[in-house]
PDB file of all heavy atoms in Angstrom:
ATOM      1  N   ARG Y   1       6.809  -4.975  -6.992  1.00 87.00           N
ATOM      2  CA  ARG Y   1       6.223  -6.266  -7.364  1.00 87.00           C
ATOM      3  C   ARG Y   1       6.620  -7.346  -6.365  1.00 87.00           C
ATOM      4  O   ARG Y   1       5.791  -8.131  -5.916  1.00 87.00           O
ATOM      5  CB  ARG Y   1       6.692  -6.694  -8.747  1.00 87.00           C
ATOM      6  CG  ARG Y   1       6.013  -6.028  -9.881  1.00 87.00           C
ATOM      7  CD  ARG Y   1       6.578  -6.572 -11.153  1.00 87.00           C
ATOM      8  NE  ARG Y   1       5.783  -6.169 -12.291  1.00 87.00           N
ATOM      9  CZ  ARG Y   1       6.119  -6.401 -13.539  1.00 87.00           C
ATOM     10  NH1 ARG Y   1       7.245  -7.028 -13.811  1.00 87.00           N
ATOM     11  NH2 ARG Y   1       5.354  -6.007 -14.509  1.00 87.00           N
ATOM     12  N   ARG Y   2       7.915  -7.397  -6.035  1.00 92.00           N
ATOM     13  CA  ARG Y   2       8.379  -8.396  -5.076  1.00 92.00           C
ATOM     14  C   ARG Y   2       7.726  -8.192  -3.713  1.00 92.00           C
ATOM     15  O   ARG Y   2       7.296  -9.151  -3.064  1.00 92.00           O
ATOM     16  CB  ARG Y   2       9.908  -8.339  -4.951  1.00 92.00           C
ATOM     17  CG  ARG Y   2      10.642  -8.981  -6.117  1.00 92.00           C
ATOM     18  CD  ARG Y   2      12.125  -9.117  -5.845  1.00 92.00           C
ATOM     19  NE  ARG Y   2      12.818  -7.842  -5.747  1.00 92.00           N
ATOM     20  CZ  ARG Y   2      13.284  -7.155  -6.769  1.00 92.00           C
ATOM     21  NH1 ARG Y   2      13.121  -7.606  -7.998  1.00 92.00           N
ATOM     22  NH2 ARG Y   2      13.895  -6.004  -6.596  1.00 92.00           N
ATOM     23  N   ALA Y   3       7.648  -6.942  -3.289  1.00 94.00           N
ATOM     24  CA  ALA Y   3       7.023  -6.639  -2.001  1.00 94.00           C
ATOM     25  C   ALA Y   3       5.550  -7.044  -2.012  1.00 94.00           C
ATOM     26  O   ALA Y   3       5.044  -7.597  -1.024  1.00 94.00           O
ATOM     27  CB  ALA Y   3       7.167  -5.159  -1.670  1.00 94.00           C
ATOM     28  N   ALA Y   4       4.861  -6.792  -3.108  1.00 91.00           N
ATOM     29  CA  ALA Y   4       3.448  -7.149  -3.210  1.00 91.00           C
ATOM     30  C   ALA Y   4       3.251  -8.647  -3.042  1.00 91.00           C
ATOM     31  O   ALA Y   4       2.345  -9.099  -2.327  1.00 91.00           O
ATOM     32  CB  ALA Y   4       2.872  -6.679  -4.546  1.00 91.00           C
ATOM     33  N   VAL Y   5       4.116  -9.431  -3.653  1.00 92.00           N
ATOM     34  CA  VAL Y   5       4.010 -10.889  -3.540  1.00 92.00           C
ATOM     35  C   VAL Y   5       4.223 -11.322  -2.092  1.00 92.00           C
ATOM     36  O   VAL Y   5       3.452 -12.125  -1.556  1.00 92.00           O
ATOM     37  CB  VAL Y   5       5.031 -11.573  -4.480  1.00 92.00           C
ATOM     38  CG1 VAL Y   5       5.129 -13.065  -4.175  1.00 92.00           C
ATOM     39  CG2 VAL Y   5       4.646 -11.349  -5.934  1.00 92.00           C
ATOM     40  N   GLU Y   6       5.242 -10.789  -1.457  1.00 95.00           N
ATOM     41  CA  GLU Y   6       5.535 -11.175  -0.077  1.00 95.00           C
ATOM     42  C   GLU Y   6       4.428 -10.740   0.885  1.00 95.00           C
ATOM     43  O   GLU Y   6       4.023 -11.494   1.768  1.00 95.00           O
ATOM     44  CB  GLU Y   6       6.885 -10.606   0.368  1.00 95.00           C
ATOM     45  CG  GLU Y   6       8.064 -11.218  -0.362  1.00 95.00           C
ATOM     46  CD  GLU Y   6       8.104 -12.738  -0.260  1.00 95.00           C
ATOM     47  OE1 GLU Y   6       7.924 -13.272   0.854  1.00 95.00           O
ATOM     48  OE2 GLU Y   6       8.301 -13.391  -1.304  1.00 95.00           O
ATOM     49  N   ILE Y   7       3.938  -9.522   0.708  1.00 95.00           N
ATOM     50  CA  ILE Y   7       2.866  -9.010   1.573  1.00 95.00           C
ATOM     51  C   ILE Y   7       1.594  -9.831   1.375  1.00 95.00           C
ATOM     52  O   ILE Y   7       0.919 -10.206   2.335  1.00 95.00           O
ATOM     53  CB  ILE Y   7       2.620  -7.510   1.313  1.00 95.00           C
ATOM     54  CG1 ILE Y   7       3.838  -6.697   1.751  1.00 95.00           C
ATOM     55  CG2 ILE Y   7       1.361  -7.029   2.026  1.00 95.00           C
ATOM     56  CD1 ILE Y   7       3.830  -5.251   1.243  1.00 95.00           C
ATOM     57  N   GLU Y   8       1.265 -10.129   0.118  1.00 91.00           N
ATOM     58  CA  GLU Y   8       0.069 -10.930  -0.183  1.00 91.00           C
ATOM     59  C   GLU Y   8       0.183 -12.335   0.390  1.00 91.00           C
ATOM     60  O   GLU Y   8      -0.777 -12.858   0.959  1.00 91.00           O
ATOM     61  CB  GLU Y   8      -0.146 -11.016  -1.701  1.00 91.00           C
ATOM     62  CG  GLU Y   8      -0.792  -9.795  -2.300  1.00 91.00           C
ATOM     63  CD  GLU Y   8      -2.290  -9.794  -2.079  1.00 91.00           C
ATOM     64  OE1 GLU Y   8      -2.965 -10.817  -2.276  1.00 91.00           O
ATOM     65  OE2 GLU Y   8      -2.788  -8.729  -1.696  1.00 91.00           O
ATOM     66  N   LYS Y   9       1.335 -12.967   0.230  1.00 93.00           N
ATOM     67  CA  LYS Y   9       1.516 -14.318   0.765  1.00 93.00           C
ATOM     68  C   LYS Y   9       1.331 -14.334   2.278  1.00 93.00           C
ATOM     69  O   LYS Y   9       0.629 -15.194   2.818  1.00 93.00           O
ATOM     70  CB  LYS Y   9       2.906 -14.861   0.401  1.00 93.00           C
ATOM     71  CG  LYS Y   9       2.972 -15.363  -1.006  1.00 93.00           C
ATOM     72  CD  LYS Y   9       4.266 -15.987  -1.464  1.00 93.00           C
ATOM     73  CE  LYS Y   9       5.407 -16.140  -0.560  1.00 93.00           C
ATOM     74  NZ  LYS Y   9       6.628 -16.663  -1.219  1.00 93.00           N
ATOM     75  N   ALA Y  10       1.943 -13.386   2.961  1.00 95.00           N
ATOM     76  CA  ALA Y  10       1.818 -13.325   4.418  1.00 95.00           C
ATOM     77  C   ALA Y  10       0.369 -13.068   4.830  1.00 95.00           C
ATOM     78  O   ALA Y  10      -0.132 -13.675   5.789  1.00 95.00           O
ATOM     79  CB  ALA Y  10       2.734 -12.239   4.983  1.00 95.00           C
ATOM     80  N   PHE Y  11      -0.315 -12.197   4.095  1.00 92.00           N
ATOM     81  CA  PHE Y  11      -1.687 -11.836   4.437  1.00 92.00           C
ATOM     82  C   PHE Y  11      -2.659 -12.985   4.161  1.00 92.00           C
ATOM     83  O   PHE Y  11      -3.445 -13.374   5.020  1.00 92.00           O
ATOM     84  CB  PHE Y  11      -2.105 -10.576   3.669  1.00 92.00           C
ATOM     85  CG  PHE Y  11      -3.492 -10.117   3.990  1.00 92.00           C
ATOM     86  CD1 PHE Y  11      -3.774  -9.490   5.195  1.00 92.00           C
ATOM     87  CD2 PHE Y  11      -4.525 -10.314   3.092  1.00 92.00           C
ATOM     88  CE1 PHE Y  11      -5.058  -9.074   5.503  1.00 92.00           C
ATOM     89  CE2 PHE Y  11      -5.816  -9.893   3.388  1.00 92.00           C
ATOM     90  CZ  PHE Y  11      -6.080  -9.277   4.598  1.00 92.00           C
ATOM     91  N   ARG Y  12      -2.598 -13.530   2.964  1.00 89.00           N
ATOM     92  CA  ARG Y  12      -3.583 -14.538   2.560  1.00 89.00           C
ATOM     93  C   ARG Y  12      -3.291 -15.939   3.110  1.00 89.00           C
ATOM     94  O   ARG Y  12      -4.211 -16.677   3.435  1.00 89.00           O
ATOM     95  CB  ARG Y  12      -3.696 -14.585   1.044  1.00 89.00           C
ATOM     96  CG  ARG Y  12      -4.309 -13.313   0.486  1.00 89.00           C
ATOM     97  CD  ARG Y  12      -4.511 -13.405  -1.009  1.00 89.00           C
ATOM     98  NE  ARG Y  12      -4.894 -12.141  -1.583  1.00 89.00           N
ATOM     99  CZ  ARG Y  12      -6.145 -11.779  -1.816  1.00 89.00           C
ATOM    100  NH1 ARG Y  12      -7.131 -12.580  -1.501  1.00 89.00           N
ATOM    101  NH2 ARG Y  12      -6.404 -10.618  -2.363  1.00 89.00           N
ATOM    102  N   LEU Y  13      -2.021 -16.309   3.190  1.00 93.00           N
ATOM    103  CA  LEU Y  13      -1.703 -17.664   3.621  1.00 93.00           C
ATOM    104  C   LEU Y  13      -1.496 -17.802   5.120  1.00 93.00           C
ATOM    105  O   LEU Y  13      -1.759 -18.846   5.695  1.00 93.00           O
ATOM    106  CB  LEU Y  13      -0.448 -18.167   2.888  1.00 93.00           C
ATOM    107  CG  LEU Y  13      -0.548 -18.225   1.363  1.00 93.00           C
ATOM    108  CD1 LEU Y  13       0.778 -18.696   0.763  1.00 93.00           C
ATOM    109  CD2 LEU Y  13      -1.691 -19.139   0.931  1.00 93.00           C
ATOM    110  N   LYS Y  14      -1.013 -16.726   5.756  1.00 94.00           N
ATOM    111  CA  LYS Y  14      -0.704 -16.804   7.178  1.00 94.00           C
ATOM    112  C   LYS Y  14      -1.566 -15.890   8.044  1.00 94.00           C
ATOM    113  O   LYS Y  14      -1.438 -15.883   9.252  1.00 94.00           O
ATOM    114  CB  LYS Y  14       0.770 -16.462   7.402  1.00 94.00           C
ATOM    115  CG  LYS Y  14       1.718 -17.400   6.694  1.00 94.00           C
ATOM    116  CD  LYS Y  14       3.149 -16.957   6.864  1.00 94.00           C
ATOM    117  CE  LYS Y  14       4.088 -17.835   6.052  1.00 94.00           C
ATOM    118  NZ  LYS Y  14       5.464 -17.344   6.086  1.00 94.00           N
ATOM    119  N   GLY Y  15      -2.393 -15.052   7.392  1.00 91.00           N
ATOM    120  CA  GLY Y  15      -3.238 -14.131   8.139  1.00 91.00           C
ATOM    121  C   GLY Y  15      -2.480 -13.000   8.806  1.00 91.00           C
ATOM    122  O   GLY Y  15      -2.986 -12.368   9.728  1.00 91.00           O
ATOM    123  N   GLN Y  16      -1.264 -12.735   8.332  1.00 93.00           N
ATOM    124  CA  GLN Y  16      -0.439 -11.680   8.920  1.00 93.00           C
ATOM    125  C   GLN Y  16      -0.705 -10.350   8.205  1.00 93.00           C
ATOM    126  O   GLN Y  16      -0.579 -10.256   6.998  1.00 93.00           O
ATOM    127  CB  GLN Y  16       1.048 -12.027   8.782  1.00 93.00           C
ATOM    128  CG  GLN Y  16       1.452 -13.256   9.529  1.00 93.00           C
ATOM    129  CD  GLN Y  16       2.892 -13.649   9.252  1.00 93.00           C
ATOM    130  OE1 GLN Y  16       3.504 -13.186   8.297  1.00 93.00           O
ATOM    131  NE2 GLN Y  16       3.424 -14.520  10.095  1.00 93.00           N
ATOM    132  N   SER Y  17      -1.065  -9.354   8.998  1.00 92.00           N
ATOM    133  CA  SER Y  17      -1.273  -8.039   8.394  1.00 92.00           C
ATOM    134  C   SER Y  17       0.058  -7.305   8.327  1.00 92.00           C
ATOM    135  O   SER Y  17       1.041  -7.705   8.934  1.00 92.00           O
ATOM    136  CB  SER Y  17      -2.296  -7.234   9.187  1.00 92.00           C
ATOM    137  OG  SER Y  17      -1.809  -6.966  10.471  1.00 92.00           O
ATOM    138  N   SER Y  18       0.052  -6.244   7.575  1.00 95.00           N
ATOM    139  CA  SER Y  18       1.228  -5.408   7.371  1.00 95.00           C
ATOM    140  C   SER Y  18       0.742  -3.966   7.408  1.00 95.00           C
ATOM    141  O   SER Y  18      -0.425  -3.698   7.104  1.00 95.00           O
ATOM    142  CB  SER Y  18       1.822  -5.721   5.988  1.00 95.00           C
ATOM    143  OG  SER Y  18       2.623  -4.652   5.525  1.00 95.00           O
ATOM    144  N   PRO Y  19       1.600  -3.027   7.755  1.00 96.00           N
ATOM    145  CA  PRO Y  19       1.175  -1.632   7.656  1.00 96.00           C
ATOM    146  C   PRO Y  19       0.667  -1.296   6.250  1.00 96.00           C
ATOM    147  O   PRO Y  19      -0.220  -0.462   6.086  1.00 96.00           O
ATOM    148  CB  PRO Y  19       2.439  -0.849   7.991  1.00 96.00           C
ATOM    149  CG  PRO Y  19       3.242  -1.760   8.842  1.00 96.00           C
ATOM    150  CD  PRO Y  19       2.958  -3.149   8.310  1.00 96.00           C
ATOM    151  N   TYR Y  20       1.181  -1.987   5.239  1.00 96.00           N
ATOM    152  CA  TYR Y  20       0.752  -1.748   3.854  1.00 96.00           C
ATOM    153  C   TYR Y  20      -0.691  -2.173   3.614  1.00 96.00           C
ATOM    154  O   TYR Y  20      -1.326  -1.695   2.674  1.00 96.00           O
ATOM    155  CB  TYR Y  20       1.670  -2.479   2.871  1.00 96.00           C
ATOM    156  CG  TYR Y  20       2.943  -1.736   2.588  1.00 96.00           C
ATOM    157  CD1 TYR Y  20       4.032  -1.849   3.424  1.00 96.00           C
ATOM    158  CD2 TYR Y  20       3.061  -0.898   1.475  1.00 96.00           C
ATOM    159  CE1 TYR Y  20       5.203  -1.152   3.181  1.00 96.00           C
ATOM    160  CE2 TYR Y  20       4.223  -0.196   1.222  1.00 96.00           C
ATOM    161  CZ  TYR Y  20       5.284  -0.328   2.073  1.00 96.00           C
ATOM    162  OH  TYR Y  20       6.446   0.372   1.824  1.00 96.00           O
ATOM    163  N   THR Y  21      -1.235  -3.066   4.440  1.00 95.00           N
ATOM    164  CA  THR Y  21      -2.589  -3.575   4.215  1.00 95.00           C
ATOM    165  C   THR Y  21      -3.634  -2.994   5.161  1.00 95.00           C
ATOM    166  O   THR Y  21      -4.812  -3.312   5.038  1.00 95.00           O
ATOM    167  CB  THR Y  21      -2.622  -5.117   4.363  1.00 95.00           C
ATOM    168  OG1 THR Y  21      -2.233  -5.472   5.695  1.00 95.00           O
ATOM    169  CG2 THR Y  21      -1.724  -5.786   3.352  1.00 95.00           C
ATOM    170  N   THR Y  22      -3.215  -2.151   6.095  1.00 95.00           N
ATOM    171  CA  THR Y  22      -4.170  -1.675   7.104  1.00 95.00           C
ATOM    172  C   THR Y  22      -4.607  -0.225   6.930  1.00 95.00           C
ATOM    173  O   THR Y  22      -5.477   0.233   7.657  1.00 95.00           O
ATOM    174  CB  THR Y  22      -3.586  -1.860   8.513  1.00 95.00           C
ATOM    175  OG1 THR Y  22      -2.345  -1.166   8.603  1.00 95.00           O
ATOM    176  CG2 THR Y  22      -3.376  -3.329   8.831  1.00 95.00           C
ATOM    177  N   GLY Y  23      -4.023   0.491   5.996  1.00 94.00           N
ATOM    178  CA  GLY Y  23      -4.399   1.887   5.771  1.00 94.00           C
ATOM    179  C   GLY Y  23      -3.357   2.581   4.924  1.00 94.00           C
ATOM    180  O   GLY Y  23      -2.348   1.981   4.534  1.00 94.00           O
ATOM    181  N   PHE Y  24      -3.594   3.834   4.638  1.00 93.00           N
ATOM    182  CA  PHE Y  24      -2.646   4.596   3.830  1.00 93.00           C
ATOM    183  C   PHE Y  24      -1.409   4.949   4.645  1.00 93.00           C
ATOM    184  O   PHE Y  24      -1.519   5.369   5.795  1.00 93.00           O
ATOM    185  CB  PHE Y  24      -3.289   5.875   3.288  1.00 93.00           C
ATOM    186  CG  PHE Y  24      -4.408   5.607   2.320  1.00 93.00           C
ATOM    187  CD1 PHE Y  24      -5.688   6.041   2.592  1.00 93.00           C
ATOM    188  CD2 PHE Y  24      -4.176   4.912   1.148  1.00 93.00           C
ATOM    189  CE1 PHE Y  24      -6.727   5.786   1.706  1.00 93.00           C
ATOM    190  CE2 PHE Y  24      -5.201   4.648   0.257  1.00 93.00           C
ATOM    191  CZ  PHE Y  24      -6.476   5.086   0.539  1.00 93.00           C
ATOM    192  N   LEU Y  25      -0.249   4.787   4.038  1.00 94.00           N
ATOM    193  CA  LEU Y  25       1.018   5.102   4.691  1.00 94.00           C
ATOM    194  C   LEU Y  25       1.545   6.469   4.273  1.00 94.00           C
ATOM    195  O   LEU Y  25       2.677   6.810   4.573  1.00 94.00           O
ATOM    196  CB  LEU Y  25       2.074   4.031   4.356  1.00 94.00           C
ATOM    197  CG  LEU Y  25       1.740   2.628   4.836  1.00 94.00           C
ATOM    198  CD1 LEU Y  25       2.819   1.645   4.405  1.00 94.00           C
ATOM    199  CD2 LEU Y  25       1.586   2.610   6.347  1.00 94.00           C
ATOM    200  N   PHE Y  26       0.720   7.227   3.590  1.00 89.00           N
ATOM    201  CA  PHE Y  26       1.103   8.569   3.148  1.00 89.00           C
ATOM    202  C   PHE Y  26      -0.025   9.523   3.499  1.00 89.00           C
ATOM    203  O   PHE Y  26      -1.172   9.110   3.631  1.00 89.00           O
ATOM    204  CB  PHE Y  26       1.414   8.602   1.645  1.00 89.00           C
ATOM    205  CG  PHE Y  26       0.327   8.018   0.771  1.00 89.00           C
ATOM    206  CD1 PHE Y  26      -0.665   8.824   0.240  1.00 89.00           C
ATOM    207  CD2 PHE Y  26       0.303   6.662   0.488  1.00 89.00           C
ATOM    208  CE1 PHE Y  26      -1.660   8.288  -0.559  1.00 89.00           C
ATOM    209  CE2 PHE Y  26      -0.680   6.114  -0.315  1.00 89.00           C
ATOM    210  CZ  PHE Y  26      -1.668   6.940  -0.839  1.00 89.00           C
ATOM    211  N   PRO Y  27       0.321  10.804   3.686  1.00 84.00           N
ATOM    212  CA  PRO Y  27      -0.718  11.762   4.083  1.00 84.00           C
ATOM    213  C   PRO Y  27      -1.710  12.026   2.953  1.00 84.00           C
ATOM    214  O   PRO Y  27      -1.369  11.910   1.775  1.00 84.00           O
ATOM    215  CB  PRO Y  27       0.071  13.025   4.419  1.00 84.00           C
ATOM    216  CG  PRO Y  27       1.354  12.888   3.694  1.00 84.00           C
ATOM    217  CD  PRO Y  27       1.633  11.418   3.572  1.00 84.00           C
ATOM    218  N   LYS Y  28      -2.916  12.352   3.352  1.00 76.00           N
ATOM    219  CA  LYS Y  28      -3.940  12.734   2.389  1.00 76.00           C
ATOM    220  C   LYS Y  28      -3.476  13.977   1.643  1.00 76.00           C
ATOM    221  O   LYS Y  28      -2.973  14.923   2.242  1.00 76.00           O
ATOM    222  CB  LYS Y  28      -5.252  13.019   3.118  1.00 76.00           C
ATOM    223  CG  LYS Y  28      -6.381  13.378   2.213  1.00 76.00           C
ATOM    224  CD  LYS Y  28      -7.651  13.594   3.012  1.00 76.00           C
ATOM    225  CE  LYS Y  28      -8.771  14.035   2.107  1.00 76.00           C
ATOM    226  NZ  LYS Y  28      -9.989  14.304   2.861  1.00 76.00           N
ATOM    227  N   GLN Y  29      -3.625  13.961   0.338  1.00 70.00           N
ATOM    228  CA  GLN Y  29      -3.229  15.119  -0.456  1.00 70.00           C
ATOM    229  C   GLN Y  29      -4.358  16.131  -0.508  1.00 70.00           C
ATOM    230  O   GLN Y  29      -5.528  15.786  -0.418  1.00 70.00           O
ATOM    231  CB  GLN Y  29      -2.870  14.702  -1.882  1.00 70.00           C
ATOM    232  CG  GLN Y  29      -1.592  13.938  -1.968  1.00 70.00           C
ATOM    233  CD  GLN Y  29      -1.132  13.797  -3.405  1.00 70.00           C
ATOM    234  OE1 GLN Y  29      -1.845  14.097  -4.344  1.00 70.00           O
ATOM    235  NE2 GLN Y  29       0.082  13.340  -3.570  1.00 70.00           N
ATOM    236  N   SER Y  30      -3.949  17.369  -0.680  1.00 67.00           N
ATOM    237  CA  SER Y  30      -4.921  18.437  -0.874  1.00 67.00           C
ATOM    238  C   SER Y  30      -4.422  19.303  -2.013  1.00 67.00           C
ATOM    239  O   SER Y  30      -3.298  19.166  -2.464  1.00 67.00           O
ATOM    240  CB  SER Y  30      -5.075  19.253   0.408  1.00 67.00           C
ATOM    241  OG  SER Y  30      -3.825  19.788   0.795  1.00 67.00           O
ATOM    242  N   HIS Y  31      -5.268  20.183  -2.488  1.00 63.00           N
ATOM    243  CA  HIS Y  31      -4.903  21.079  -3.594  1.00 63.00           C
ATOM    244  C   HIS Y  31      -4.435  20.284  -4.805  1.00 63.00           C
ATOM    245  O   HIS Y  31      -3.394  20.576  -5.392  1.00 63.00           O
ATOM    246  CB  HIS Y  31      -3.823  22.076  -3.167  1.00 63.00           C
ATOM    247  CG  HIS Y  31      -4.139  22.800  -1.897  1.00 63.00           C
ATOM    248  ND1 HIS Y  31      -5.179  23.689  -1.800  1.00 63.00           N
ATOM    249  CD2 HIS Y  31      -3.579  22.730  -0.680  1.00 63.00           C
ATOM    250  CE1 HIS Y  31      -5.234  24.156  -0.564  1.00 63.00           C
ATOM    251  NE2 HIS Y  31      -4.279  23.587   0.139  1.00 63.00           N
ATOM    252  N   THR Y  32      -5.195  19.275  -5.192  1.00 59.00           N
ATOM    253  CA  THR Y  32      -4.799  18.433  -6.310  1.00 59.00           C
ATOM    254  C   THR Y  32      -5.491  18.823  -7.613  1.00 59.00           C
ATOM    255  O   THR Y  32      -5.572  18.029  -8.539  1.00 59.00           O
ATOM    256  CB  THR Y  32      -5.099  16.954  -6.002  1.00 59.00           C
ATOM    257  OG1 THR Y  32      -6.490  16.834  -5.718  1.00 59.00           O
ATOM    258  CG2 THR Y  32      -4.269  16.445  -4.851  1.00 59.00           C
ATOM    259  N   ALA Y  33      -5.961  20.056  -7.703  1.00 60.00           N
ATOM    260  CA  ALA Y  33      -6.640  20.497  -8.917  1.00 60.00           C
ATOM    261  C   ALA Y  33      -5.725  20.413 -10.128  1.00 60.00           C
ATOM    262  O   ALA Y  33      -6.154  20.093 -11.224  1.00 60.00           O
ATOM    263  CB  ALA Y  33      -7.158  21.920  -8.760  1.00 60.00           C
ATOM    264  N   ASP Y  34      -4.433  20.697  -9.946  1.00 56.00           N
ATOM    265  CA  ASP Y  34      -3.471  20.570 -11.029  1.00 56.00           C
ATOM    266  C   ASP Y  34      -2.788  19.230 -10.871  1.00 56.00           C
ATOM    267  O   ASP Y  34      -1.976  19.038  -9.970  1.00 56.00           O
ATOM    268  CB  ASP Y  34      -2.433  21.696 -10.976  1.00 56.00           C
ATOM    269  CG  ASP Y  34      -1.436  21.604 -12.112  1.00 56.00           C
ATOM    270  OD1 ASP Y  34      -1.462  20.643 -12.889  1.00 56.00           O
ATOM    271  OD2 ASP Y  34      -0.611  22.522 -12.216  1.00 56.00           O
ATOM    272  N   PRO Y  35      -3.101  18.253 -11.758  1.00 56.00           N
ATOM    273  CA  PRO Y  35      -2.541  16.931 -11.571  1.00 56.00           C
ATOM    274  C   PRO Y  35      -1.022  16.846 -11.730  1.00 56.00           C
ATOM    275  O   PRO Y  35      -0.449  15.832 -11.419  1.00 56.00           O
ATOM    276  CB  PRO Y  35      -3.243  16.101 -12.643  1.00 56.00           C
ATOM    277  CG  PRO Y  35      -3.906  17.028 -13.548  1.00 56.00           C
ATOM    278  CD  PRO Y  35      -4.000  18.359 -12.869  1.00 56.00           C
ATOM    279  N   ASP Y  36      -0.393  17.902 -12.196  1.00 57.00           N
ATOM    280  CA  ASP Y  36       1.061  17.890 -12.323  1.00 57.00           C
ATOM    281  C   ASP Y  36       1.753  18.362 -11.064  1.00 57.00           C
ATOM    282  O   ASP Y  36       2.983  18.373 -10.993  1.00 57.00           O
ATOM    283  CB  ASP Y  36       1.506  18.770 -13.493  1.00 57.00           C
ATOM    284  CG  ASP Y  36       1.146  18.141 -14.822  1.00 57.00           C
ATOM    285  OD1 ASP Y  36       1.099  16.910 -14.925  1.00 57.00           O
ATOM    286  OD2 ASP Y  36       0.904  18.890 -15.779  1.00 57.00           O
ATOM    287  N   VAL Y  37       0.995  18.786 -10.065  1.00 58.00           N
ATOM    288  CA  VAL Y  37       1.573  19.304  -8.829  1.00 58.00           C
ATOM    289  C   VAL Y  37       1.112  18.466  -7.654  1.00 58.00           C
ATOM    290  O   VAL Y  37      -0.083  18.372  -7.403  1.00 58.00           O
ATOM    291  CB  VAL Y  37       1.165  20.788  -8.609  1.00 58.00           C
ATOM    292  CG1 VAL Y  37       1.735  21.308  -7.309  1.00 58.00           C
ATOM    293  CG2 VAL Y  37       1.608  21.651  -9.773  1.00 58.00           C
TER     294      VAL Y  37
END
């Protein structure tokens, strides 16, 4: 929550992008047929 506020403030008020706002920071998942795995 705290990170979201800081990232949003920088993005919306100062026009500063963050790795969090430019794309996924985790690999695409595969084999997700079983939602528990």
Side-chain angles (χ1 to χ4, degrees):
R1 282 181 169 173
R2 283 190 294 275
V5 169
E6 293 305 314
I7 293 167
E8 280 281 315
K9 281 183 2 185
F11 181 74
R12 292 184 189 265
L13 300 178
K14 299 176 185 174
Q16 296 174 344
S17 64
S18 158
Y20 279 84
T21 61
T22 57
F24 295 119
L25 298 178
F26 52 92
K28 182 178 177 182
Q29 289 192 350
S30 58
H31 310 293
T32 57
D34 181 355
D36 289 330
V37 178

